[in-house]
Amino acid sequence: MNVSIVGATGYGGMELIRFLNNHPQFKIKSLHTSSQFGRSLYEENAHLMHMKDTLEEIDPEAIAKKSDIVFLATPSGVSSQLISEFSDLDIKVIDLSGDLRLQTPGEYENWYKKPAAPQHIIEEAVYGLAEWNAEAIKKATIIANPGCYPTASLLGLAPLFTEGLAGADADVIIDAKSGVSGAGKSPSAVTHFSEMNENFKIYKVNQHQHIPEIEQQLGRWSSGLQPITFNTHLVPMTRGIMATMYIKVNRETSNVELKDLYETVYENHPFVRVQPLDRYPSTKQVYGSNFCDIGVDYDERTGKVTVVSVIDNLVKGAAGQAIQNANILMGLEETAGLWNSPLYP
Amino acid sequence: MNVSIVGATGYGGMELIRFLNNHPQFKIKSLHTSSQFGRSLYEENAHLMHMKDTLEEIDPEAIAKKSDIVFLATPSGVSSQLISEFSDLDIKVIDLSGDLRLQTPGEYENWYKKPAAPQHIIEEAVYGLAEWNAEAIKKATIIANPGCYPTASLLGLAPLFTEGLAGADADVIIDAKSGVSGAGKSPSAVTHFSEMNENFKIYKVNQHQHIPEIEQQLGRWSSGLQPITFNTHLVPMTRGIMATMYIKVNRETSNVELKDLYETVYENHPFVRVQPLDRYPSTKQVYGSNFCDIGVDYDERTGKVTVVSVIDNLVKGAAGQAIQNANILMGLEETAGLWNSPLYP
Amino acid sequence: MNVSIVGATGYGGMELIRFLNNHPQFKIKSLHTSSQFGRSLYEENAHLMHMKDTLEEIDPEAIAKKSDIVFLATPSGVSSQLISEFSDLDIKVIDLSGDLRLQTPGEYENWYKKPAAPQHIIEEAVYGLAEWNAEAIKKATIIANPGCYPTASLLGLAPLFTEGLAGADADVIIDAKSGVSGAGKSPSAVTHFSEMNENFKIYKVNQHQHIPEIEQQLGRWSSGLQPITFNTHLVPMTRGIMATMYIKVNRETSNVELKDLYETVYENHPFVRVQPLDRYPSTKQVYGSNFCDIGVDYDERTGKVTVVSVIDNLVKGAAGQAIQNANILMGLEETAGLWNSPLYP
Amino acid sequence: MNVSIVGATGYGGMELIRFLNNHPQFKIKSLHTSSQFGRSLYEENAHLMHMKDTLEEIDPEAIAKKSDIVFLATPSGVSSQLISEFSDLDIKVIDLSGDLRLQTPGEYENWYKKPAAPQHIIEEAVYGLAEWNAEAIKKATIIANPGCYPTASLLGLAPLFTEGLAGADADVIIDAKSGVSGAGKSPSAVTHFSEMNENFKIYKVNQHQHIPEIEQQLGRWSSGLQPITFNTHLVPMTRGIMATMYIKVNRETSNVELKDLYETVYENHPFVRVQPLDRYPSTKQVYGSNFCDIGVDYDERTGKVTVVSVIDNLVKGAAGQAIQNANILMGLEETAGLWNSPLYP
């Protein structure tokens, strides 16, 4: 099967290349960019020398003719424009941006401060939280690949809500931390090495655009959900997200019960690794891989559960989950091309 | 005035040396260590060459004869032994460890898993949270210098509790992050460079020994306080702590009101810098300095206040606050020897 | 074909696992360690959960029965003992340590300060510099996998010596820099995060044990070679080696001529990527991959050539080249299981 | 005495503020910038809140009226313009840029690719290598503060040349490494965190503009000096320079002789710390301080001396040495305001 990548020169696009390069079934047919077409990808990206070549312009019809799937690895505000051109063609679209995720009219404009994609296309888009939405993904034409923070958060919270331990009044607090690659490839004062190195920053306090995405999915599991608290920080490292989450549960529980519950829920999901009792994951243990590692603790003093969930923001939080969705969509093994060991150390 | 340092070779001890070196009133009279006495400090600590010299053994009587103040920069479990020897001598003691902070009998053993110091000495010790306890500090003989996390947390929480915006049911959640120097100077698997670099870790989940210290002080401001939630993480950087805190407040408020409140409370406290509206501190802006920078946000969606508080764990979280306490104790300007610009970038 | 790994818990061993996991022809049959057998590998190495399991003790006969190749990823001084036990068995051995590399009797003891392996076994060992010794490697029974620094240095220097631009009086100076993973997995004061972070260190000044290894191979290309100057530094990063090298050449040359020469020499060697004119490699562009990227400059002012060569110390400098050698040995495509994109960013 | 800073918002300017803040004799009278005047310095530089305030425009006459010394902490190409305006006024000028360092007409244009300052002003400027040019500095009106790399290199090389161990044919090779703050405050692709983190880069291969500055000063010590080889690298850290240098010496020597020679030469220079036998400096041991630490090794195998010299690029390599020069100029203790312990860890 052939695939094309639009936005090949960004961090998400190049991470798609890294994995698709070694995929047993998918073949990268073409790489597309809005600005540098005609050039070799490796000119500006020395790491890809001897591996991948020419960049082409974005021509949806031409892409649809040669590929079965197109990955849109473009910034917010671009897919919402491109999607109309692709939606009439015979090609599956997997969109890595936030443009097609929010179903409620008006929400996208509120949080992203940009015009939304056509509402009928948004409604057609299936939310690609792979472990929880596989049935819909199999039948999708357009997949809205989840955001990096929502992926880590939702995979960590899901068992509490779906198994009835937490409900509308869970008073969810998500304190999330990310490596700097999440901020993309464009230089800025915040991501200038001398400013970000030896620094730990909070940003978009109580205003991150991933809040409605998380609430939307939690709301599907728990009607009447109260607003959540969600904050994000930058860690002086390139890759990795940790979401530390605090949830009020309905009743007393124990670490053993919690671990069993999580293990049962994720039994057939090889990318989610529930940690052994009294172990909590670090971001490095998923570096460069599609794993989401989760640890859970019930604090008897407060009656709250602490959930710690880690992913690589560029893999399970972007390119990896996108390929996982492509695998599901095409009826392949979910792990095809993605079953690599994390980079260590 | 003369001062001596016990535990001069640890990170806390050497940070005391860095500041006391340039203090206008205090003169370092002697440096003490349990293991390397007779040697030059700079043999193992090349950065101090041309600056400080011989290490001496720990002889309380000799120390009390030559110095007015002794700083105990020793690990937990050492001060609790040494303190008895110093308590009968004519010398002020400032203890940087956790050994003299917890007033309730049994609490220390519960959380530190070690035998406590004699209870009458603990009761004599004054909690050295400089901005909030100056009157008692002035009259103290023994000062229990606060922990790094409690300093960042309590300075950030205090105005809400002392000014009545938050109470017993505030449901305080503190998600704290620290640079690796907080783990001290002894090599270990966790702090091995190749393991900790490009990594973000959570540790002591819901079990950190600073929990009772924070609750004890909050309880002085708000009787009947419910247990707090407190977690700690390691950031791949050397210095800096951020506490991100979530508090349920009694009534609606606004960012303008909060900023005014914090500014008023800390008006005469030059080391606490309330950030301008819509600004939140990063750890680097206090690097190497005694500042505690605080930003506040009221989230209308949830009715919670987010407080972001940053310090340098080795300065305001240890050596700097210890010197600030020594200044107060000796009737000097609070800022004497401490009014330096943070290292930037 | 089946392979076994001795020393599976070290950084080299786990890097072998990472690649062999996805190798099309080799199957990891067993993992061995001297101390933790019977346990699961992932207990201490959380990143391998769901991937690899039980550790076994080191039993050469049992290993030879089930595997075609054994990789010895053990520290210096271990292979020299183990090798005798393996050398009589029907199994190919690829040794990643320095124990079998130095052919001249006495050299190993001089530089490693340990007893050498039996001289007849050393003489049987083939030096596994894959791009330059493939014919001998194909026929080898025991392969001495090159050191990390020698690999970067020799691949960068080779064309100058083999093509006659440099000779015995080239006055070679190699100033090498390495990420900290080269120091292995054992915690120490030097590799303690708070000491190594924001630090750049030189070590083993003019005394590194890789000096004779580099001279031995250069001497094969240029008889009568003068002693080289070689120094090594630690960079505050986990992976990557850069060798910056200064060579007096026999005659005037130009950057165009040099680039052509290098491209010709490495034409059929896909892992060596000669950089375009006026481009010089950074370590990150080979991160996690088996590439060696090389840039060259002729300085008209001094008549010297500067060669810049980068590798990932754990891949091309250890596990990757070992697998490349195994591929050659077994008659496979040299790139089998190794043709992955570097991790970026 | 009053001082003013032009270019107060750059890294060099803010480092001047950090030290001058606590200087016993100098008082910062005014801060100047070309673009943000009227604003508070701390608006963009949160670390200076409660410390320094208003930025003013650059008015040389007004500056000369209120200050005894002006520090020009502006980028290359700015001082060359400003200097004419200051040179007729009654004020001492210390220029931190490279604009006034190269005495030979044409050299500046060759290497900096910009128009030079008026030649008569360049000739008036005294090269401020504090340990070696104090007599001229005392009488100077304009001081050209040395570059960061030249400072580390020249302090390390000086004793060999001034004491006759090395001469014109010393074949000097300087392999230099710097923290990223040397690249200044403007964001760029090279200094983008995700690109520079976990990376080690070489730049300006054989073309760095500090080459003629080093050669000019070496030439004063050794006539007929052959061109030197000089290369520079970026280390993924914020501060610190190491110059690793290789020099052919005239005769056999020993580490003991070398150490004695260096200690004698630098006996009365407290900021230069010759390391004990067999010790070599790391950049971190001078972090944030004005020290230059030097280690030396004679390699009997090659007959070359290796000199390792480290500084903090922003202190001894810029602001610190500028203040040291101001101290000398004004007849103060050389160490006034600069005698602080390096930040550790």
Side-chain angles (χ1 to χ4, degrees), chain C residues 171 198 215 287 301 304, chain D residues 171 198 215 287 301 304:
Chain C
D171 200 15
E198 279 292 286
E215 288 184 343
Y287 207 90
R301 297 174 68 253
K304 288 193 176 147
Chain D
D171 200 15
E198 279 292 285
E215 289 185 342
Y287 207 89
R301 297 174 69 253
K304 288 193 175 146

Side-chain angles (χ1 to χ4, degrees), chain A residues 171 198 215 287 301 304, chain B residues 171 198 215 287 301 304:
Chain A
D171 200 14
E198 279 292 286
E215 289 184 342
Y287 208 88
R301 296 174 68 255
K304 287 192 177 149
Chain B
D171 200 14
E198 281 291 286
E215 289 184 343
Y287 207 89
R301 298 174 67 255
K304 288 194 176 147

Side-chain angles (χ1 to χ4, degrees), chain C residues 111 171 173 175 177 194-195 197-202 205-206 211 215 227-229 231 233 235-239 242 244 246 280-284 287 297 299 301-302 304 306 308 344-345, chain D residues 111 171 173 175 177 194-195 197-202 205-206 211 215 227-229 231 233 235-239 242 244 246 280-284 287 297 299 301-302 304 306 308 344-345:
Chain C
W111 290 91
D171 200 15
I173 292 185
D175 191 277
K177 301 90 179 171
S194 299
E195 307 282 331
N197 183 41
E198 279 292 286
N199 201 357
F200 185 85
K201 291 183 78 75
I202 191 167
V205 178
N206 294 318
I211 291 173
E215 288 184 343
I228 64 165
T229 298
N231 271 308
H233 307 74
V235 185
M237 61 186 190
T238 303
R239 285 167 179 250
M242 180 183 286
T244 315
Y246 305 99
Y280 300 90
S282 303
T283 59
K284 194 159 188 157
Y287 207 90
D297 182 62
D299 184 4
R301 297 174 68 253
T302 61
K304 288 193 176 147
T306 303
V308 184
Y344 171 85
Chain D
W111 289 90
D171 200 15
I173 292 185
D175 192 278
K177 302 90 178 171
S194 300
E195 306 284 330
N197 183 42
E198 279 292 285
N199 201 358
F200 185 85
K201 288 183 80 75
I202 191 168
V205 177
N206 294 318
I211 292 173
E215 289 185 342
I228 65 165
T229 297
N231 272 310
H233 307 75
V235 185
M237 62 185 190
T238 303
R239 287 168 178 249
M242 179 183 286
T244 314
Y246 305 98
Y280 301 90
S282 302
T283 60
K284 194 159 186 158
Y287 207 89
D297 183 61
D299 184 3
R301 297 174 69 253
T302 61
K304 288 193 175 146
T306 302
V308 183
Y344 171 85

Side-chain angles (χ1 to χ4, degrees), chain C residues 54 59 70 75 78-79 83 89 131 217 225 242 247 301 317 331 345:
Chain C
T54 318
D59 176 342
V70 63
V78 175
S79 304
I83 193 66
L89 300 168
E131 276 74 14
Q217 182 62 31
L225 184 87
M242 180 183 286
I247 305 100
R301 297 174 68 253

